[in-house]
Every structure is written in structure tokens, then in C-alpha cells.
Amino acid sequence: WTERTSGTSKYFRGVTYGNELFVTVSLGGTLLTSSDGTSWDNRTSGTSEYLLQVTYGNGLFVTVGWGTILTSSDGTTWTERTSGTSNYLYEVTYGNGTFVSVGRNGIILTSKDGTTWTPRTSGTVISILGVQYVNSTFVAVGRGGLILTSADGTTWTSRTTYTSNDLYDVTYGNSKFVAVGDSGTIITSSGGTSFDNRTSGTSETLRDVTYGNSTFVTVGYSGTILTSSDGTSWDNRTSGTSNDLYGVSYENSTFVATGDNGTILTSS
């Protein structure tokens, strides 16, 4: 992993790739963009609110945060949208023609265009911390090992996880769902309905996970980076930083990890 110059000490959270551009978002409304993951440009978001996650779909970047939703077609010019909630929105994803955002107290919002958002019934008041569209399924994870799945983003079903630790993110690769969370928690599933605990080899909290180049990569506190080819056996990697890492993405033949104090790392 190689540390890159972000030009800021902001605390970065989510990172995504779309329209030949990496975009990362931070606490305080700062946005950075990069075509290669190496050189980064500061963009004006128009908000000072915390931005926690960003995704790309249907020709649109969408970022969410503390009651905030912003959209952009190019990653440079951003427009604030009406979320209809003052609750924290922790993550957003896109799949099956639908944006889905999740947040505090079990809130789930959906949108076809990123502009107009509709609240959905999650069946829980537990905070939902992450959501991804993987293997033709929306999978949401949250406090106390919560996992919900949905085919359309509207109707959600609770799943069995066998962990009481908070879960922050989930991905899919090599015919396996992988979710990560507190105290080094890693759980996997072949079908997305029942999950088994795995040994991560760390007690650090894991905040994000992705799959690319036949490799699972998860990042977390104290600069933790773990990799796995199968989701079952994990290796600890040297990140070169002790800063907490919150986001990781793989596109354009590059892994990009982001975190506190302006940290941006890349790896091929």
C-alpha cells in the first residue's frame, strides 16, 4: 500500500468509483475526486454536514450523511436533495434501478433518480450501518449483528448472523457474502440467508470491505488492512499508517482506502 497526498487533514469516510472518477467524502462536507487514485482535487459540496458514504449508479454520484443527501453527475458540481428525514444516513448503494440509503433507528430510503426519496419499512428500530447491492440482492447490516435482505429495496427480511457485534459493511465475491464489524468480526454466507463466524486474526474494528482482483479487502481502526482470497482465511497487511480507515473500493485496477487525518492509500 502507498500513501497518497490528499491535501487536507479531514476525516474521510466512504469512497467509490464511477464515470472514470474516484470520489471520497468526509466529515465537514469535504469531497475529493481523482481519475487515478494518486492525484486528488478538492471539490465544493455546498454543505458543512458530515458526509459518511458515497455511491455511483445510473450516471449519478450520490452521497449521504447526517440527514443530508447530495447528488452529482460529474463529481464536481453537487446539488442538495430533500431526504425527508433528520436522522443520520450511514450508507447508500445502487442496484436493480434503485438507490437505497440506510441509517439511524432502522430508517431505509429508496429513490429511482437520486432526487425524490421514499421511506420504506425495515421492520426494526435498530440502526442500520451499511448496505450494498450484491449478487442481485440488497443486503443491509447494523447494530447487534443485524442483517436484512431485499430483492427490490422495498420489502426486507431479517436473517440469522450468529453474532451480537455491530456490523458495518458487506460485499460479495467468489460465490460468498462477507460482512465485517466490531472487534475484528468477519462473517460469511454462501446464500445470504445464514452467516458463519470466521477468524480474522485481529480485535480491531473493521469498517468497510470490498472485492476485486479475486481478493477480499477489509479495512479498519489503527490502519488495519486484511486480505483474503476465499473470505475464510485472512492475512494482515502492512498499511503504513496507524490512522483509522473507514472506506475501501476497487475499480480501475486499483484498491483505494480512505480514513482519518486525510489518509488515502492505494494498492494494485
Side-chain angles (χ1 to χ4, degrees):
W1 292 80
T2 302
E3 188 161 6
R4 303 301 181 178
T5 301
S6 66
T8 179
S9 60
K10 293 291 187 179
Y11 285 24
F12 290 109
R13 293 301 182 253
V15 59
T16 195
Y17 183 87
N19 195 23
E20 300 183 350
L21 203 65
F22 288 100
V23 175
T24 183
V25 299
S26 80
L27 309 187
T30 296
L31 288 145
L32 299 184
T33 65
S34 173
S35 60
D36 57 8
T38 301
S39 301
W40 293 81
D41 296 309
N42 199 319
R43 304 300 182 183
T44 301
S45 69
T47 183
S48 59
E49 296 290 348
Y50 284 12
L51 301 176
L52 301 178
Q53 194 53 264
V54 60
T55 194
Y56 182 82
N58 196 28
L60 198 68
F61 292 99
V62 177
T63 182
V64 300
W66 288 15
T68 301
I69 298 177
L70 308 176
T71 66
S72 174
S73 60
D74 59 7
T76 301
T77 303
W78 294 80
T79 303
E80 188 162 3
R81 304 300 182 180
T82 301
S83 66
T85 181
S86 59
N87 271 334
Y88 302 160
L89 298 172
Y90 293 120
E91 190 158 33
V92 61
T93 193
Y94 180 82
N96 195 24
T98 304
F99 292 98
V100 175
S101 183
V102 299
R104 191 174 180 180
N105 299 328
I107 190 169
I108 296 178
L109 306 177
T110 67
S111 174
K112 293 295 185 181
D113 58 8
T115 301
T116 303
W117 294 80
T118 303
R120 302 299 182 181
T121 301
S122 66
T124 183
V125 295
I126 297 172
S127 291
I128 306 172
L129 306 177
V131 64
Q132 296 292 337
Y133 185 74
V134 288
N135 196 34
S136 302
T137 305
F138 290 102
V139 182
V141 297
R143 301 286 186 201
L146 175 74
I147 290 191
L148 307 174
T149 64
S150 173
D152 56 9
T154 301
T155 303
W156 294 81
T157 302
S158 180
R159 302 300 184 181
T160 302
T161 65
Y162 302 111
T163 182
S164 59
N165 287 333
D166 293 350
L167 298 172
Y168 292 99
D169 197 41
V170 61
T171 193
Y172 182 86
N174 196 16
S175 302
K176 191 172 293 183
F177 294 87
V178 175
V180 299
D182 276 348
S183 303
T185 297
I186 297 178
I187 58 175
T188 67
S189 173
S190 57
T193 57
S194 182
F195 287 76
D196 298 313
N197 286 308
R198 302 300 181 183
T199 301
S200 67
T202 183
S203 59
E204 295 288 351
T205 291
L206 303 172
R207 291 300 303 251
D208 205 8
V209 62
T210 193
Y211 183 81
N213 195 29
S214 301
T215 305
F216 292 98
V217 177
T218 181
V219 301
Y221 291 171
S222 302
T224 300
I225 297 179
L226 308 178
T227 67
S228 174
S229 60
D230 59 8
T232 302
S233 300
W234 293 81
D235 295 308
N236 200 323
R237 302 301 182 181
T238 301
S239 68
T241 183
S242 60
N243 287 324
D244 294 345
L245 301 174
Y246 285 86
V248 64
S249 180
Y250 180 81
E251 292 290 348
N252 198 27
S253 301
T254 304
F255 290 96
V256 176
T258 56
D260 285 351
N261 297 313
T263 300
I264 297 178
L265 309 174
T266 66
S267 174
S268 59

